[in-house]
Amino acid sequence: MTDMSRTLPDWIGWVIEEQCQLNLPPERLALLLAIQVFSQNGEQSQLSEADLQHAFSFVSKGFGQVEETQVSRANNAINDLVSQRLLSRFQAQAGDDDSLYRLTRLGVGIVDFFAAQRDVSQIKLSLQLEQISLDLNKIAATMADNPNDELWQQEVAGRLTYSVAEQLARIDDTQRAMDEQQNAVKANIAALLHKNWHEAIAACEQLLRETGHTLRELQDTLDKAGHGLQLSLLNIEELLQGDARGLALAPLCQQLQARLDAIILWGSQCIELWSRYDLHVHRFIRTAIDMDKNRAFSQRLRESIRQFEDHNWQLRIALAEPLLELRAETLAAYADEVTGELPEELEYHEMLDVTAELSGRIREHLQHFAEDGRPLDMAMVLKGYLADFPHYQHFDIARLLIDEAVKLGHANAECVGAAQPEWQRINAHGAKVQAHVIDQY
């Protein structure tokens, strides 16, 4: 995990002092990737200048550039990468032409970043989550044995600070790569629909289905392992609180919990946003079919079923049996007496009206805390309030109650940066809440 403990002026001063700058047009980025490929294919990671010239020739040919100026352009590109600290040059003597080159950490990081964009899979995510689980189990087992200071630094502090944090960072990078893939798929779908929508419907359906399946597959993997990882982090936090050496690691453990929560939450939001986009695309296609001036889609349907007996499929027509109305005609004269008025309990109520009425009741219930200046313990209030409602309504009621409680005030403990409170049960079905006591109205 990157150490962001420096202040913003420190970071700005460091950038000015180190003269950090990046300028990577497409041909420079392609050269970086070519250098990495050449380094991996060879027996040694360092390359000679002739190797770099050879790599640049592929880039130049790929961009359709002239061969006459290739050598000078290659030298300029190599010097540019060296000046930007993307490539390191090693010379035995000053002025020696037989130099060796290696990608710097920054260069390798940029290449790995773009390579990772094309490698998003459930297997990769499962292995990352499995590694985190193994690290957390190892940390808990080491702490239970009351290790000495050296073992503590290596197996507890070191593993938590570097291994677990870096694996979570990689999972976060995987999610961000998936975000960019979604944007690319959206751009492809938009291009297909604007060019020739009635010919592109099948391709759009395939893109929507494959991307949605990938998102759900990754989120299922996260949900399956996320709960166990959270429990492991909570157990480690409790062990840290019982050891004087763990006070310095407690904030890091809380940061890891928050990051894992954010990763799982963003995965769920991605699926919801993609479902909305899927509906939007289908709505666009339906509208386009309805407003099809040339009736191209309708003509395709007619042609597909014309002489259908000659094709290897069958057309089935479903015809529902008509309903016979058996009401006596004589009842029409006594309609008012027979039907009467609908009871108020059976009248239709819109969901917005029901939600508004519930929010009003909850607001009145919580207003007494603010008027009397009493602390509002969210867990206790939820536990008592949800007892009057059936289980399937607990989530909606809890959400409304929390929304109204937040409008009343805030917790002083949260403002002063106190540690996160413990999870508390709010019903008999395992639901829990984690919130500070609201004492400032």
Side-chain angles (χ1 to χ4, degrees):
M1 181 176 292
T2 305
D3 183 12
M4 298 297 293
S5 58
R6 297 186 186 181
T7 62
L8 182 57
D10 290 339
W11 282 111
I12 296 174
W14 174 78
V15 170
I16 296 173
E17 180 183 354
E18 297 292 331
Q19 294 294 312
C20 299
Q21 59 177 342
L22 281 178
N23 182 20
L24 274 180
E27 58 270 15
R28 294 289 191 270
L29 179 59
L31 179 57
L32 271 182
L33 294 169
I35 293 173
Q36 178 71 345
V37 171
F38 271 60
S39 300
Q40 291 177 345
N41 292 338
E43 296 180 357
Q44 297 178 343
S45 60
Q46 65 270 18
L47 299 176
S48 64
E49 191 157 340
D51 294 329
L52 297 186
Q53 293 278 357
H54 186 43
F56 186 83
S57 66
F58 285 93
V59 176
S60 180
K61 186 182 297 183
F63 281 87
Q65 298 170 343
V66 295
E67 296 184 3
E68 288 76 9
T69 59
Q70 178 177 307
V71 176
S72 61
R73 286 188 288 105
N75 290 331
N76 292 335
I78 293 170
N79 292 330
D80 185 28
L81 294 182
V82 171
S83 65
Q84 295 190 66
R85 302 182 185 182
L86 299 172
L87 195 63
S88 296
R89 178 189 285 129
F90 300 93
Q91 291 177 313
Q93 296 179 359
D96 189 0
D97 294 335
D98 191 15
S99 302
L100 296 178
Y101 295 86
R102 287 186 61 179
L103 287 177
T104 62
R105 285 195 309 153
L106 178 58
V108 173
I110 293 175
V111 171
D112 289 343
F113 169 78
F114 283 98
Q117 301 285 72
R118 308 177 65 176
D119 184 19
V120 179
S121 66
Q122 180 198 9
I123 298 177
K124 178 181 178 181
L125 182 60
S126 298
L127 291 175
Q128 290 171 336
L129 292 170
E130 183 180 358
Q131 182 61 45
I132 295 176
S133 179
L134 292 175
D135 286 335
L136 293 179
N137 293 337
K138 179 68 174 178
I139 292 170
T142 303
M143 295 176 66
D145 294 337
N146 192 18
N148 56 34
D149 292 342
E150 182 180 355
L151 192 60
W152 175 277
Q153 289 297 328
Q154 179 178 349
E155 295 296 335
V156 178
R159 196 176 291 271
L160 195 63
T161 305
Y162 300 110
S163 182
V164 176
E166 288 180 2
Q167 289 294 338
L168 282 177
R170 290 174 185 172
I171 293 175
D172 185 67
D173 290 341
T174 301
Q175 276 193 327
R176 296 178 190 275
M178 195 64 204
D179 294 344
E180 297 188 9
Q181 286 191 9
Q182 289 181 58
N183 293 331
V185 171
K186 290 179 181 179
N188 291 338
I189 290 176
L192 289 171
L193 292 178
H194 281 87
K195 286 182 180 178
N196 193 356
W197 63 265
H198 50 82
E199 296 291 342
I201 291 179
C204 292
E205 286 283 351
Q206 183 178 0
L207 288 172
L208 289 170
R209 182 172 57 255
E210 290 178 352
T211 305
H213 176 72
T214 302
L215 285 173
R216 284 189 293 271
E217 192 177 58
L218 295 176
Q219 186 59 26
D220 289 344
T221 305
L222 272 176
D223 289 336
K224 184 177 180 180
H227 182 65
L229 295 180
Q230 282 287 18
L231 288 178
S232 298
L233 284 171
L234 287 173
N235 293 334
I236 291 175
E237 185 178 1
E238 292 180 359
L239 294 173
L240 290 173
Q241 293 175 354
D243 195 313
R245 297 171 295 183
L247 296 179
L249 295 176
L252 173 61
C253 192
Q254 294 175 2
Q255 291 176 12
L256 295 176
Q257 292 181 41
R259 188 162 197 174
L260 181 59
D261 282 338
I263 288 173
I264 297 174
L265 178 61
W266 179 243
S268 301
Q269 290 178 343
C270 278
I271 293 178
E272 181 180 354
L273 292 173
W274 187 259
S275 299
R276 295 179 185 176
Y277 177 74
D278 192 314
L279 292 175
H280 172 73
V281 173
H282 283 87
R283 192 180 300 115
F284 172 84
I285 294 175
R286 286 195 298 269
T287 303
I289 292 173
D290 293 340
M291 300 178 65
D292 184 14
K293 296 180 180 179
N294 300 323
R295 300 299 176 189
F297 194 79
S298 302
Q299 184 62 27
R300 285 179 58 196
L301 286 176
R302 294 191 189 96
E303 291 177 358
S304 65
I305 62 176
R306 186 179 294 123
Q307 297 178 347
F308 68 91
E309 65 275 1
D310 297 335
H311 300 286
N312 57 350
W313 53 276
Q314 295 181 352
L315 177 66
R316 294 182 180 272
I317 301 176
L319 181 62
E321 292 291 336
L323 297 177
L324 299 178
E325 187 176 1
L326 302 178
R327 185 178 61 183
E329 295 294 335
T330 54
L331 293 179
Y334 308 99
D336 293 338
E337 297 180 8
V338 172
T339 58
E341 294 184 357
L342 188 66
E344 184 178 354
E345 293 79 3
L346 299 179
E347 288 185 358
Y348 173 75
H349 295 278
E350 291 188 2
M351 194 61 193
L352 291 177
D353 297 336
V354 175
T355 302
E357 183 178 352
L358 281 173
S359 298
R361 294 181 184 178
I362 293 173
R363 193 181 306 114
E364 293 178 2
H365 179 73
L366 298 179
Q367 192 64 35
H368 298 294
F369 289 90
E371 293 175 354
D372 301 338
R374 291 181 295 159
L376 198 159
D377 188 343
M378 194 71 67
M380 296 299 297
V381 173
L382 279 171
K383 188 173 184 179
Y385 202 81
L386 295 180
D388 298 332
F389 294 89
H391 173 232
Y392 63 87
Q393 293 181 348
H394 281 190
F395 177 81
D396 294 325
I397 299 298
R399 179 176 56 82
L400 293 174
L401 194 145
I402 292 173
D403 290 343
E404 294 298 330
V406 171
K407 296 176 184 178
L408 287 178
H410 61 274
N412 186 50
E414 188 173 359
C415 296
V416 299
Q420 294 184 1
E422 296 182 356
W423 292 88
Q424 300 184 53
R425 297 174 67 92
I426 57 175
N427 64 8
H429 302 277
K432 296 182 180 181
V433 70
Q434 183 187 42
H436 289 285
V437 176
I438 297 177
D439 51 8
Q440 299 292 329
Y441 298 101

